[in-house]
Every structure is written in C-alpha cells, then in structure tokens.
C-alpha cells in the first residue's frame, strides 16, 4: 500500500513540459496522491474559486511557477488574498523558478504566504527536503 505525503497538490506552470515532468515526479515519489495541473495562474484561480463555491478543500500544497504570462506567481499570491484565509492558510505554497536574480529570490522568501522556494527543475532531492 502506498503512503502519500499529501492528498492533493496543485501544480501551476505555463510550460507543459515542466508541468508533465514535475507532476510525474510528485506522483512517482508518493508526495501527493492527486496532482492537478493548471497552465496559468488565471486558470488556477478559477479552479480554486470553483472548489470554494463547492465547499471543497483547497489543495494541501501548491507548486507555483514565478514567471508566467498575463499573471505571474506574485500576482497569483495577491489574488489569493481575495479568498477567505481560512480556506488557504493551511496550504503550503512552494514557488518554482529558474531565476538567479537575487532580488526576485529575496522577494519570494519575504512573502509570508510562501513556504519555500525551489529552483527549477523540481527534483526528487528537492521533494525529499520538503518532507
């Protein structure tokens, strides 16, 4: 019997190859039983709105790409404030980016909603550190 760390993970990434690789890694490492993939922050917010409307729990963990078109990861975090804190405050948000800019990394670490930052690509070692 497989034991999963989390029931549901939400992966938000505009790059379909990264999303596919990361979702397989999360599933194969037994990190999350169910992986929901959304290819934009807007699509993810719509998904979360529907869950809220249906009184369904938010994912326990969100892997959030920083750099996406139309709405980036920081904009997503701002929009998350429009949801009642009671529904997302237990959700761990992991920001993913290939950035090497110290200012952006500092901005990620200074955001109180962000649990941690992982430099892309997500790896098995990165997931083990989260556990």
């Amino acid at each position: 019997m497989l034991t999963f760390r989390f029931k549901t993970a939400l992966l938000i990434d505009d790059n379909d190859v990264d999303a596919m690789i990361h979702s397989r890694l999360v599933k194969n490492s037994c990190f999350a039983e169910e992986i929901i993939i959304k290819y934009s922050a807007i699509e993810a917010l719509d998904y979360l709105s529907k869950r809220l409307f249906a009184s369904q729990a938010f994912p326990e963990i969100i892997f959030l790409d920083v750099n996406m078109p139309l709405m980036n990861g920081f904009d997503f975090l701002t929009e998350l404030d429009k949801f009642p804190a009671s529904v997302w405050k237990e959700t761990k948000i992991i920001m993913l980016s290939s950035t090497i800019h110290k200012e952006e990394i500092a901005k990620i670490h200074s955001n109180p909603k962000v649990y941690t930052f992982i430099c892309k690509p997500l790896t098995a070692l990165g997931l083990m550190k989260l556990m």
Side-chain angles (χ1 to χ4, degrees), residues 97-121:
S97 180
S98 56
T99 188
I100 57 170
H101 294 98
K102 291 180 182 180
E103 299 83 18
E104 190 169 81
I105 293 171
K107 186 176 178 182
I108 292 167
H109 285 296
S110 69
N111 191 307
K113 291 186 203 86
V114 177
Y115 180 72
T116 195
F117 164 75
I118 296 178
C119 191
K120 279 183 165 185

Side-chain angles (χ1 to χ4, degrees), residues 55-116:
S55 298
Q56 296 174 327
F58 270 36
E60 297 157 296
I61 191 160
I62 296 175
F63 293 97
L64 175 62
D65 186 20
V66 173
N67 297 306
M68 295 179 284
L70 301 178
M71 180 183 284
N72 66 31
F74 296 112
D75 297 332
F76 172 87
L77 293 175
T78 299
E79 290 297 311
L80 197 58
D81 283 333
K82 295 179 181 176
F83 292 90
S86 60
V87 297
W88 61 262
K89 69 178 180 180
E90 299 299 320
T91 299
K92 292 186 179 357
I93 299 174
I94 315 301
M95 290 195 86
L96 303 172
S97 180
S98 56
T99 188
I100 57 170
H101 294 98
K102 291 180 182 180
E103 299 83 18
E104 190 169 81
I105 293 171
K107 186 176 178 182
I108 292 167
H109 285 296
S110 69
N111 191 307
K113 291 186 203 86
V114 177
Y115 180 72
T116 195

